[in-house]
C-alpha cells in the first residue's frame, strides 16, 4: 500500500496539472480571439497535448470554460452539510457566497472579462444555465437531507433557487456584497417562517 500511494498521488497531480493547463489555454484563447473562432485543436496545441487527451479531461468545448464546475457544486453542498453548529442553512450559504473569489476586488477585472465572454456566447449561456440548474437540484437535496425533509420539499427547493439567484443578482450591482446581503436578509426572514419543521436544524 505504501509503495502504490505515492504513484497514485503523482498520477492525480499530473492529471490535475494537465486539466488546469487545458482550461487556462482555452480561456486565454477564447478571450483573445473569441469563443467561436477557437477550435479544439487550437486549445490542445496551446497546452501541448493531443485532442484525445483533451477529451479525456473535458467532454465538450463549453466545459473548458467552466473547469471548476464539479468543485463549485461540491462546495455548495459542503457549505450546508459542514456548517458550524447553530448556523442556519441561509447563514451558511450567505457566508459561502461572500467568501467566493467573485467578491474579491483583485479579481474584478478578470471576472468582468469572463462574464463578457459567457454573456456574448449563446452556447456558453445555455451550458451555464444547465450547470446552474444542476447546482440548484444538488443544493436543494442537500438542504432537505440536513433537515430531514422530503427531497422535493418546496421550501428547500425555493431556498436553493433564491440563494443561487442572489449571486447572479450581485453580478451587475455596483456593490455586489450589499446586493448579496440584502437578498439573504430577505431569505433568512422568509426561511424562518416557512422552513420544514420536522428537521434537525437549530
Amino acid at each position: 500500500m505504501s509503495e502504490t500511494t505515492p504513484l497514485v498521488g503523482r498520477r492525480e497531480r499530473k492529471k490535475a496539472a494537465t486539466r488546469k493547463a487545458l482550461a487556462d489555454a482555452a480561456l486565454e484563447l477564447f478571450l483573445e480571439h473569441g469563443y467561436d473562432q477557437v477550435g479544439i485543436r487550437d486549445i490542445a496545441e496551446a497546452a501541448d497535448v493531443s485532442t484525445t487527451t483533451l477529451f479525456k479531461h473535458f467532454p465538450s468545448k463549453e466545459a473548458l470554460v467552466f473547469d471548476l464546475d464539479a468543485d463549485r457544486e461540491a462546495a455548495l453542498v459542503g457549505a450546508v452539510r459542514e456548517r458550524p453548529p447553530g448556523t442556519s442553512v441561509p447563514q451558511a450559504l450567505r457566508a459561502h457566497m461572500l467568501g467566493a473569489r467573485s467578491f474579491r476586488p483583485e479579481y474584478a477585472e478578470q471576472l468582468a472579462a469572463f462574464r463578457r465572454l459567457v454573456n456574448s456566447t449563446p452556447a456558453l449561456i445555455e451550458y451555464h444555465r444547465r450547470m446552474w440548474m444542476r447546482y440548484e437540484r444538488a443544493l436543494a437535496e442537500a438542504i432537505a437531507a440536513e433537515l430531514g425533509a422530503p427531497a422535493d420539499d418546496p421550501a428547500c427547493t425555493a431556498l436553493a433557487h433564491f440563494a443561487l439567484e442572489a449571486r447572479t443578482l450581485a453580478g451587475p450591482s455596483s456593490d455586489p456584497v450589499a446586493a448579496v446581503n440584502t437578498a439573504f436578509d430577505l431569505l433568512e426572514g422568509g426561511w424562518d417562517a416557512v422552513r420544514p419543521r420536522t428537521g434537525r436544524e437549530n
Side-chain angles (χ1 to χ4, degrees):
M1 184 70 174
S2 60
E3 293 179 357
T4 60
T5 300
L7 178 60
V8 172
R10 286 196 298 272
R11 186 182 301 124
E12 291 305 312
R13 287 196 297 273
K14 185 176 180 181
K15 285 173 61 177
T18 300
R19 182 179 174 85
K20 184 178 187 304
L22 283 163
D24 288 349
L27 185 58
E28 183 176 346
L29 289 169
F30 293 154
L31 291 174
E32 183 176 353
H33 302 290
Y35 179 83
D36 293 327
Q37 281 65 52
V38 176
I40 289 295
R41 188 178 298 277
D42 299 321
I43 298 165
E45 288 178 355
D48 197 24
V49 301
S50 68
T51 55
T52 300
T53 296
L54 185 152
F55 281 119
K56 286 180 180 178
H57 292 274
F58 295 96
S60 67
K61 183 179 172 183
E62 294 88 349
L64 283 153
V65 178
F66 301 100
D67 59 303
L68 298 177
D69 176 16
D71 293 339
R72 290 194 178 102
E73 182 178 315
L76 279 166
V77 170
V80 172
R81 292 178 176 167
E82 299 161 18
R83 68 192 189 282
T87 302
S88 71
V89 171
Q91 288 170 343
L93 289 172
R94 182 202 295 252
H96 175 73
M97 296 287 182
L98 292 177
R101 190 172 69 167
S102 54
F103 292 98
R104 299 178 194 169
E106 64 266 32
Y107 294 108
E109 185 176 343
Q110 178 184 352
L111 289 166
F114 180 82
R115 291 191 187 102
R116 286 194 298 271
L117 171 67
V118 174
N119 293 333
S120 65
T121 310
L124 295 179
I125 292 173
E126 176 59 22
Y127 187 93
H128 186 263
R129 185 189 68 82
R130 294 196 306 270
M131 182 181 75
W132 213 241
M133 287 177 66
R134 194 182 70 248
Y135 288 175
E136 182 180 313
R137 184 166 56 251
L139 182 56
E141 289 174 355
I143 295 169
E146 280 296 295
L147 272 62
D152 62 349
D153 182 87
C156 298
T157 300
L159 177 59
H161 175 82
F162 289 112
L164 290 171
E165 284 299 322
R167 188 166 178 176
T168 302
L169 290 171
S173 174
S174 59
D175 189 342
V177 172
V180 167
N181 278 323
T182 298
F184 273 97
D185 287 345
L186 290 169
L187 286 176
E188 286 186 25
W191 181 247
D192 287 341
V194 304
R195 67 180 181 181
R197 298 298 175 182
T198 58
R200 299 182 295 273
E201 187 184 37
N202 293 330

